[in-house]
């Protein structure tokens, strides 16, 4: 029975491998539906031409004032807006700015949050103190008011300026999570072990800490995309975001409010698109989080 | 006690806790495959076995903590004086938990709510199960903390779990389990994370409580020393089955299963200094891919042709069971 | 063990102290000092194993981190092969600390979950390019995996695909890559079950013979320490209270804490039940922030006399020259042993 130690371990089989994340995700209906919708919205943003022409119309700028505010008609399932343009193709084209802003803001927030959060979490001390105080300032400030003031002062209102403002007020939430996650990862034993064999700060940060600390931030970012789209529309609706002639759901809703009584379809169709899009991104983020976060999967045993 | 008597199947002569033919499945994998053991009042049964052999899952199944959709008890019974816990309505079972059967968890911190003071959590038990007033329950909670030797219990009752050291926390966990004087306590590795002096305190405490109240104790542990110290009987588990059972002294002196023998050989002892310890070659089987025959066969030095068939649990002496075809060769030196 | 006396000293520790500031309140003001390690001196020769035992929280892990330069001491020095670790900086320090490697307690947290086994074992070579030319590294990694009893195909696996014992082997292979003189093992087997523990203990013994390694072996389990160690140090509240050869400490313990510790360790033999005279230690270990006056063990000591609360004993020889005990009553023990 007492065989050599060395021979014995090689024969050890691994514990059964975990089922893949994707396999787990595919079994969730919420994930399937929300990711399908999100994909369609992204496709609409990328190639609106392909969708806009389905019912005959197709050019959002081909307008005829004669049709101003008319309800749905054959070939124009959503009716016409105040300028007499086909509302359906306008709504389709509206996805573009929403998705573009969502992308820009998400990318921007991740970069800022990962850099600042990692610096604060890894180096601690005064670096952390400075970054954390800056975050506190943003947390204490009413974000909506801040965004409105800044955008009102801005001279141009395009996707870039709106994104910049959304990033400015959005990064602290992510950075705080990143900081916490880095703090936890950096005290991990495998980080100490890497330092023990002589790895330098850059290697430890890039090779060990970042990849292992990104999980929660990635998940939170996913949860945020829906919120970003909603905020963009809200700012635009309030008149400080994108402005006509830009095509966006927010702009459409902004115009629609004045004509709600006479032409309710102007409000209804863009809102449906906006709501479904936001909802599907939120659901998508949610199911990603459930799949990623093992803490939510554990059952708690209590007497 | 009165509650148990009124339940169907009650038999005052039956053992206090008798588990038989228990099977538990997680997904498609059967992780507990026909486990059975018995304990009577005042007795200590130690459950030994390799990590992952199903010791904790068995315990949690008995407590009714294995629930669909994650896992399911697919066969077997766990009887308290003849009353089958597994077929009881959830409401009845909930009432028995704590009052008649209780569990001490390996990780005391996970069994305690971090945002409630420990005194409150124990008092909660008295209020829920015995309908005591808030004040009376708080007084009893302090008594319990005193019983598990928490110094200045009245003051510490107001503290939160994280303010206790590991050993004290484990004692609070024991307090939570014994508060309502259960007749059966299942302790899942209550001392694994603790050092020897604290371990000795906890083991002594469990022993005293058992003597005072005639409790039946099921002690799950890896520590062969603790088993030798306090267990009356031992059940050794391997890959979801009990492979050997018997009085502790007999099992240690004359193991009748090759796995038990190997386990005993792996303990460092003063006389083995300078020599290699016995190790079991190979790895435990993957519960997801069960092979026919004896589960220990791939690692067994005694295996013969008969081992291709699953060995039945054989009674080789009074209260002494082994599931091995070659047990006679194992017991002959 | 007998020849160890003439061998070269690889690790020399003098009066090592580590205090952690205790902060409180919103302003995080320092309100006290936690004396995690409070004046420890040790010496380790090539091929020798020093076991360290002691209660939870007595500073064993902190000592391990100081020895391997994972923490900087408040005062005192650690000398590795004649060079003091704490005078060195940067590249010099990195080269010196190679000789002392740490094996972590928890094989589940000490490996990067996103790195394969081969990448983990290769990392020491990647960050110390002078150690081996690039072309040789994969071969060296394979050799190391074999040396710790892993199959070279394990190299492509991730930690979650390995059992606890296999992970601990990966940790050992990573530490061996730097060809250290000393391995500091901080409870390397506590998280493993008995049969896997035996595999790792055997492996450590084999490696010790093959590479003439010296070990500092920390464990809760007194029998494992006894199995491996040539000499043993018993710690209490940041201090070494007794040290000597394995036989001296286990057979003729002189410090009351050591005696209590040994008496509390269960013996894996039901026949011996009841024959053991257990010395019961009352109360909780005192806080290292505010240690008791005099001998820090006196509030829990079953032998304590009035003097014990007043003056602190020093570590001094009792019977043999190598058997040191820090207790006022060590030379006139109250009874004839546990
Ligand atoms: N909730 C769960 N879902 C799926 N599988 C589980 C679950 N809990 C336990 N298992 C599996 O059941 C088997 C038995 O686990 P169990 O916890 O009973 O082992 P154990 O004998 O208590 O081991 P240890 O000594 O390490 O605590 C293991 O293979 C484990 O992976
Ligand atoms: N980074 C730190 N900051 C503050 N206090 C610390 C730090 N690290 C350890 N301590 C404290 O120092 C003391 C000694 O801790 P250490 O981890 O060395 O104990 P140990 O002997 O290894 O215990 P165990 O057996 O439980 O592992 C403890 O009281 C601990 O709380
Ligand atoms: S039945 Fe056969 S294979 Fe199984 S333990 Fe006994 S001898 Fe070994
Ligand atoms: Mg368990
Ligand atoms: Mg430690």
């Amino acid at each position: 029975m007492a065989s050599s130690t060395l021979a014995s371990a090689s024969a050890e089989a691994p514990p059964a491998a975990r089922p893949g994340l994707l396999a787990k995700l595919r079994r969730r209906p919420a994930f399937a539906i929300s990711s399908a919708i999100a994909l369609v919205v992204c496709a609409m943003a990328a190639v609106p031409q392909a969708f806009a022409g389905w019912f005959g119309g197709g050019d959002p700028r081909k307008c005829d004032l004669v049709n101003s505010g008319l309800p749905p008609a054959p070939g124009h399932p959503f009716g016409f807006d105040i300028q007499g343009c086909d509302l359906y193709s306008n709504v389709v084209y509206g996805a573009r700015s929403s998705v573009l802003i969502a992308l820009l803001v998400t990318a921007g927030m991740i970069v800022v949050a990962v850099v600042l959060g990692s610096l604060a979490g890894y180096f601690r001390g005064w670096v952390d103190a400075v970054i954390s105080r800056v975050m506190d300032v943003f947390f204490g400030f009413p974000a909506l008011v801040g965004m409105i003031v800044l955008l009102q002062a801005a001279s141009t209102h395009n996707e870039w300026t709106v994104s910049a403002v959304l990033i400015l007020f959005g990064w602290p939430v992510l950075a705080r999570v990143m900081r916490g996650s880095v703090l936890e990862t950096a005290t991990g034993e495998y980080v100490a072990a890497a330092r023990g064999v002589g790895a330098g700060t850059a290697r430890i940060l890039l090779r060990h800490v970042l990849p292992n600390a990104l999980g929660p931030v990635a998940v939170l970012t996913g949860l945020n995309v829906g919120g970003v789209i909603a905020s963009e529309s809200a700012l635009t609706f309030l008149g400080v975001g994108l402005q006509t002639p830009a095509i966006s759901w927010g702009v459409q809703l902004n115009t629609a409010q004045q004509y709600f009584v006479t032409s309710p379809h102007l409000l209804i169709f863009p809102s449906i698109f906006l709501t479904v899009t936001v909802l599907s991104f939120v659901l998508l983020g949610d199911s990603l989080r459930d799949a990623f976060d093992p803490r939510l999967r554990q059952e708690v045993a209590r007497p | 006690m009165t509650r148990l008597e009124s339940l169907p199947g009650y038999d005052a002569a039956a053992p206090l806790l008798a588990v038989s033919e228990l099977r538990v499945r997680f997904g498609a994998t059967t992780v507990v495959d026909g486990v059975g053991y018995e304990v009577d009042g005042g007795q200590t049964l130690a459950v030994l076995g390799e990590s992952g052999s199903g010791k904790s899952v068995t315990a949690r199944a008995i407590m009714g903590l294995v629930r669909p959709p994650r896992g399911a008890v697919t066969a077997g019974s766990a009887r308290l004086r003849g009353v089958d816990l597994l077929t009881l309505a959830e409401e009845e079972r909930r009432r028995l938990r704590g009052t008649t059967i209780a569990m001490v968890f390996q990780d005391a911190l996970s069994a305690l709510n971090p945002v409630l003071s420990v005194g409150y959590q124990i008092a909660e038990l008295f209020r829920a199960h015995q309908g005591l007033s808030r004040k009376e329950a708080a007084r009893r909670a302090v008594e319990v903390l005193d019983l598990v030797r928490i110094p200045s219990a009245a003051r510490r009752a107001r503290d939160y779990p994280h303010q206790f050291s590991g050993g004290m926390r484990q004692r609070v966990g024991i307090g939570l389990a014994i508060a309502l004087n259960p007749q059966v306590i299942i302790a899942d590795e209550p001392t694994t994370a603790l050092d020897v002096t604290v371990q000795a305190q906890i083991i002594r405490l469990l022993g005293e409580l058992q003597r005072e109240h005639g409790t039946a104790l099921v002690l799950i542990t890896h520590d062969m020393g603790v088993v030798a110290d306090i267990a009356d009987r031992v059940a050794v588990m391997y890959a979801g089955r009990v492979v050997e059972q018997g009085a502790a002294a007999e099992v240690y002196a004359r193991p009748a299963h090759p796995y038990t023998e190997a386990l005993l050989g792996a303990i460092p002892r003063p006389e083995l200094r300078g020599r290699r310890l016995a190790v079991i070659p190979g790895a435990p089987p993957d519960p997801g891919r069960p092979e026919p025959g004896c589960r220990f066969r791939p690692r067994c030095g005694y295996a013969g042709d008969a081992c291709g068939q699953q060995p039945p649990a054989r009674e080789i002496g009074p209260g002494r069971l082994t599931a091995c075809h070659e047990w006679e060769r194992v017991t002959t030196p | 063990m007998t020849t160890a006396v003439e061998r070269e000293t690889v690790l020399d520790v003098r009066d090592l102290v580590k205090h952690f500031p205790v902060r409180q309140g919103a302003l995080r003001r320092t309100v006290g000092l936690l004396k995690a390690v409070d004046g420890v001196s040790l010496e380790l020769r090539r091929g020798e194993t020093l076991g360290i035992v002691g209660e939870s929280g007595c500073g064993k892990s902190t000592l391990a981190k100081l020895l391997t330069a994972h923490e900087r001491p408040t005062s005192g020095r650690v000398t590795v092969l004649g060079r003091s670790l704490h005078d060195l900086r940067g590249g010099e320090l990195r080269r010196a600390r190679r000789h002392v490697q740490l094996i972590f307690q928890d094989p589940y947290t000490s490996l990067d979950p996103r790195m394969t086994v081969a990448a983990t074992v290769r990392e020491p070579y990647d960050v110390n390019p002078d150690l081996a030319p690039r072309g040789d590294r994969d071969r060296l990694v394979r050799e190391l995996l074999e040396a710790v009893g892993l199959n070279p195909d394990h190299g492509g696996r991730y930690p979650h695909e390995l059992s606890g014992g296999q992970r601990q082997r990966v940790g050992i292979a990573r530490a061996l890559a730097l060809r250290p003189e000393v391995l500091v093992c901080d409870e390397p087997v506590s998280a493993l079950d008995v049969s896997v523990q035996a595999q790792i203990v055997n492996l450590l013994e084999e490696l010790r013979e093959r590479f003439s390694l010296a070990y500092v072996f920390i464990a809760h389990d007194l029998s494992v320490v006894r199995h491996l160690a040539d000499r043993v140090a018993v710690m209490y509240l940041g201090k070494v209270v007794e040290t000597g050869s394995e036989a001296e400490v286990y057979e003729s313990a002189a410090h009351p804490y050591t005696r209590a510790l040994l008496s509390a360790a269960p013996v894996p033999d039901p026949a011996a039940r009841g024959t053991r005279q257990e010395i019961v230690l009352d109360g909780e270990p005192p806080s290292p922030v505010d240690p008791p006056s005099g001998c820090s063990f006196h509030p829990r000591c079953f032998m304590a006399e009035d003097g014990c609360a007043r003056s602190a004993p020093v570590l001094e020889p009792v019977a043999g020259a190598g058997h040191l005990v820090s207790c006022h009553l060590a030379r006139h023990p109250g009874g004839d042993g546990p």
Side-chain angles (χ1 to χ4, degrees):
Chain A
M1 182 114 312
S3 78
S4 151
T5 329
L6 297 191
S8 62
S10 310
E12 279 180 45
R18 293 184 302 188
L21 206 60
L22 230 96
K24 220 177 301 164
L25 277 174
R26 264 199 295 255
R27 268 185 257 122
R28 291 163 193 267
F31 173 76
I33 298 171
S34 59
S35 58
I37 295 177
L39 269 179
V40 170
V41 173
C42 291
M44 251 187 228
V47 277
Q49 313 81 292
F51 293 82
W54 281 5
F55 302 99
D59 186 351
R61 308 258 186 216
K62 199 171 131 249
C63 313
D64 190 345
L65 271 178
V66 172
N67 296 328
S68 172
L70 286 187
H76 303 279
F78 290 3
F80 298 89
D81 69 8
I82 293 305
Q83 271 78 42
C85 317
D86 176 38
L87 187 58
Y88 170 72
S89 43
N90 263 288
V91 169
V92 167
Y93 272 83
R96 173 163 276 181
S97 61
S98 291
V99 171
L100 180 63
I101 287 178
L103 276 180
L104 285 176
V105 172
T106 304
M109 283 203 302
I110 288 189
V111 171
V112 177
V114 164
V115 170
L116 293 182
S118 307
L119 292 178
Y122 188 77
F123 292 102
R124 290 183 257 180
W126 65 267
V127 181
D128 183 25
V130 170
I131 295 175
S132 293
R133 286 304 82 76
V134 174
M135 290 196 278
D136 288 344
V137 168
F138 277 98
F139 281 122
F141 201 80
L144 189 63
V145 175
M147 291 194 269
I148 291 175
V149 169
L150 275 185
L151 279 170
Q152 255 170 354
S155 52
T156 48
H157 288 162
N158 55 22
E159 279 89 351
W160 296 94
T161 44
V162 173
S163 297
V165 168
L166 282 171
I167 292 171
L168 182 66
F169 286 91
W171 70 269
V173 181
L174 286 185
R176 173 163 289 191
V177 172
M178 185 68 194
R179 171 181 173 273
S181 175
V182 167
L183 263 179
E184 194 185 318
T185 314
T187 50
E189 289 199 331
Y190 56 88
V191 172
R195 204 172 288 130
V197 298
T201 305
R203 183 183 172 95
I204 287 176
L205 252 176
L206 296 177
R207 213 44 225 271
H208 299 283
V209 176
L210 275 190
N212 286 297
L214 271 179
V217 176
V219 165
L220 193 62
T221 312
L223 282 176
N224 249 351
V225 174
V228 170
I229 295 178
S231 314
E232 179 269 322
S233 299
L235 287 176
T236 303
F237 177 81
L238 291 174
V240 294
L242 299 180
Q243 279 161 1
T244 36
I247 303 177
S248 112
W249 295 332
V251 173
Q252 286 155 16
L253 292 178
N254 186 356
T255 346
Q257 55 171 329
Q258 305 156 37
Y259 307 99
F260 178 59
V261 181
T262 49
S263 319
H265 63 279
L266 289 185
L267 195 72
I268 291 168
F269 291 109
S271 336
I272 291 176
F273 268 64
L274 179 65
T275 314
V276 169
T277 305
V278 169
L279 206 65
S280 70
F281 275 106
V282 168
L283 276 177
L284 184 61
D286 247 355
S287 46
L288 281 177
R289 179 195 54 196
D290 290 355
F292 264 113
D293 193 342
R295 275 165 299 181
L296 296 172
R297 277 183 269 136
Q298 249 165 36
E299 63 181 329
V300 183
R302 279 184 54 79
Chain B
M1 218 175 293
T2 46
R3 189 165 282 141
L4 194 58
E5 279 157 15
S6 65
L7 290 172
Y10 180 80
D11 173 3
L16 197 42
L17 172 68
V19 180
S20 85
E21 284 303 313
L22 192 72
R23 264 169 228 279
V24 181
R25 215 177 50 200
F26 283 109
T29 347
T30 301
V31 296
V32 171
D33 191 11
V35 164
Y37 49 65
E38 282 180 13
V39 222
D40 229 324
Q43 259 195 353
T44 300
L45 169 80
V47 181
L48 281 172
E50 196 137 85
S51 185
S53 57
K55 305 183 294 292
S56 303
V57 171
T58 305
R60 298 184 28 185
I62 297 170
M63 293 299 295
L65 296 173
V66 173
R67 294 205 190 100
R70 309 226 48 219
V73 178
T74 51
S77 62
R79 295 177 192 278
L80 277 181
R81 290 256 187 260
V83 179
D84 189 354
L85 288 174
L86 303 180
T87 54
L88 280 184
E90 178 54 30
E91 180 54 26
E92 286 296 343
R93 213 157 30 160
R94 196 185 58 74
R95 278 203 219 126
L96 289 180
R97 271 206 290 273
T99 57
T100 314
I101 181 164
M103 183 155 170
V104 180
F105 290 88
Q106 169 167 4
D107 175 10
L109 205 53
S110 74
L112 292 167
N113 186 335
V115 299
L116 299 175
S117 72
V118 301
Y120 182 89
Q121 294 185 56
I122 298 176
E124 191 62 23
L125 283 178
F126 288 111
R127 288 173 53 197
H129 286 278
Q130 300 184 344
L132 297 189
S133 70
R134 194 178 281 267
K135 209 166 146 207
E136 180 64 11
R139 196 181 58 74
R140 297 285 294 276
V142 172
E143 280 176 17
V144 169
L145 288 176
D146 224 21
L147 195 66
V148 294
R149 317 282 133 75
I150 301 283
S152 36
R155 187 170 53 79
R156 299 301 313 250
R158 286 192 293 271
D159 286 351
Y160 293 87
H162 72 266
Q163 290 167 303
F164 289 83
S165 72
M168 284 214 218
R169 232 180 257 153
Q170 202 55 268
R171 270 179 269 173
V172 172
I174 292 176
L176 216 49
I178 61 162
L180 302 171
N181 267 335
Q183 291 166 275
V184 180
I185 296 178
I186 303 179
D188 190 0
E189 311 201 20
T191 60
T192 302
L194 308 174
D195 58 72
V196 279
T197 49
V198 184
Q199 166 176 306
Q201 288 176 348
I202 303 261
I203 295 292
R204 195 170 326 108
L205 175 65
L206 282 171
E208 279 167 25
L209 293 168
Q210 185 182 38
R211 266 192 303 284
E212 270 168 46
H213 302 288
T215 323
L217 177 64
V218 177
L219 179 71
I220 301 173
T221 178
H222 281 306
D223 192 318
M224 311 290 281
V226 170
V227 175
D229 224 21
I230 65 163
D232 301 303
R233 294 176 52 75
V234 176
V236 182
M237 287 186 64
Y238 186 80
R241 298 199 178 130
V242 174
V243 293
E244 175 163 10
Q245 223 179 122
E250 277 181 52
V251 172
Y252 271 63
R254 272 179 309 284
H257 192 281
Y259 175 67
T260 318
E261 191 186 50
L263 208 54
L264 290 167
I267 311 172
R269 297 167 195 266
E271 63 273 19
L272 292 177
R273 241 179 82 80
R275 278 191 274 157
R276 297 287 188 263
L277 299 170
V279 298
I280 309 173
D286 178 354
R289 272 168 291 172
E291 284 171 36
C294 174
R295 297 274 171 95
F296 193 56
R297 184 163 65 142
R299 311 174 74 185
C300 181
Y302 290 93
D305 292 340
C307 304
Q309 301 290 319
Q310 183 182 321
R314 228 181 289 260
E315 180 140 17
I316 58 168
R320 186 108 160 78
L321 297 171
T322 176
C324 173
H325 292 296
E326 305 287 341
W327 68 272
E328 280 164 316
R329 276 171 56 213
V330 183
T331 43
T332 45
Chain C
M1 179 184 129
T2 42
T3 55
V5 188
E6 300 95 48
R7 293 196 203 148
E8 177 195 2
T9 302
V10 286
L11 184 69
D12 187 50
V13 176
R14 286 286 144 238
D15 304 317
L16 205 56
V17 174
K18 179 71 187 181
H19 291 175
F20 292 108
V22 181
R23 296 178 203 279
Q24 235 171 35
L27 295 174
R28 321 271 307 128
R29 264 187 316 148
T30 304
V31 295
L33 285 177
L34 187 150
K35 305 184 174 93
V37 171
D38 201 15
V40 168
S41 300
L42 305 166
E43 204 182 75
L44 191 66
R45 291 167 191 279
R46 179 159 301 175
E48 191 186 29
T49 300
L50 171 70
I52 296 185
V53 296
E55 209 150 37
S56 183
C58 69
K60 304 184 295 294
S61 297
T62 308
L63 177 63
K65 287 187 190 137
L66 291 169
L67 296 183
T68 49
H70 280 96
E71 294 266 12
R72 284 195 168 270
T74 309
S75 69
R77 60 174 60 243
V78 176
T79 313
V80 179
L81 295 175
R83 309 193 64 182
S84 169
L85 271 191
H86 306 289
D87 297 341
L88 305 174
R89 305 264 162 200
E92 291 262 288
L93 173 64
R94 275 209 272 164
R95 265 188 295 283
R97 74 191 289 186
R98 275 183 204 167
H99 300 298
V100 193
Q101 287 295 311
L102 182 60
I103 309 279
F104 293 85
Q105 164 170 5
D106 191 346
Y108 292 84
T109 58
S110 56
L111 300 179
D112 188 330
R114 283 166 201 276
M115 272 166 75
T116 61
V117 168
T120 299
V121 178
R122 208 185 132 101
E123 182 159 45
Y125 296 119
D126 292 341
V127 299
N128 298 285
D130 56 308
L131 220 55
R134 189 172 289 273
D136 284 356
R137 292 182 193 162
D138 286 331
R139 181 180 53 78
L140 289 170
V141 167
R142 273 199 305 281
E143 284 173 11
L144 280 171
L145 290 180
E146 260 164 48
V148 298
L150 288 169
N151 199 317
D153 340 320
H154 282 114
R157 294 208 188 149
Y158 286 91
H160 74 262
E161 298 171 319
L162 300 176
S163 70
Q166 287 174 326
R167 288 184 211 201
Q168 200 54 288
R169 287 166 198 259
V170 176
I172 295 173
R174 170 176 58 196
L176 288 177
L178 297 169
R179 310 215 159 281
E181 299 285 341
V182 183
L183 283 189
V184 179
C185 309
D186 188 5
E187 311 206 19
V189 294
S190 304
L192 307 173
D193 72 48
V194 195
S195 55
V196 184
Q197 166 184 307
Q199 293 178 352
I200 299 294
V201 167
N202 285 357
L203 171 65
L204 290 174
E205 282 195 298
E206 260 160 54
L207 295 173
R208 175 170 63 188
E209 286 154 23
R210 196 159 142 198
F211 301 111
S212 14
L213 289 171
Y215 292 127
V216 175
F217 188 91
I218 299 173
H220 272 151
D221 187 331
L222 296 167
S223 57
V224 177
V225 170
R226 182 163 201 189
H227 188 84
L228 280 169
D230 304 311
R231 284 191 302 121
V232 178
V234 182
M235 284 182 71
Y236 188 80
L237 222 57
K239 290 194 167 78
V240 172
V241 294
E242 176 158 9
T243 173
S245 72
E246 167 265 329
E248 281 164 341
V249 171
Y250 280 84
E251 304 292 342
S252 45
H255 196 283
Y257 175 67
T258 314
R259 289 170 55 192
L261 203 61
L262 290 174
S263 81
V267 179
D269 180 8
R273 195 184 296 179
T275 61
R276 205 149 53 84
Q277 286 257 307
E278 205 173 304
I279 302 170
V280 180
L281 281 189
D282 289 320
E284 288 287 312
S287 149
V289 180
D290 181 21
S293 63
C295 170
S296 54
F297 185 56
H298 85 263
R300 303 172 75 196
C301 183
F302 58 97
M303 283 169 36
E305 291 176 355
D306 291 348
C308 297
R310 283 197 299 273
S311 70
V314 291
L315 203 58
E316 46 188 14
V318 276
H323 189 185
L324 310 179
V325 178
S326 140
C327 170
H328 292 306
L329 305 168
R331 264 173 290 186
H332 338 274
D336 27 10

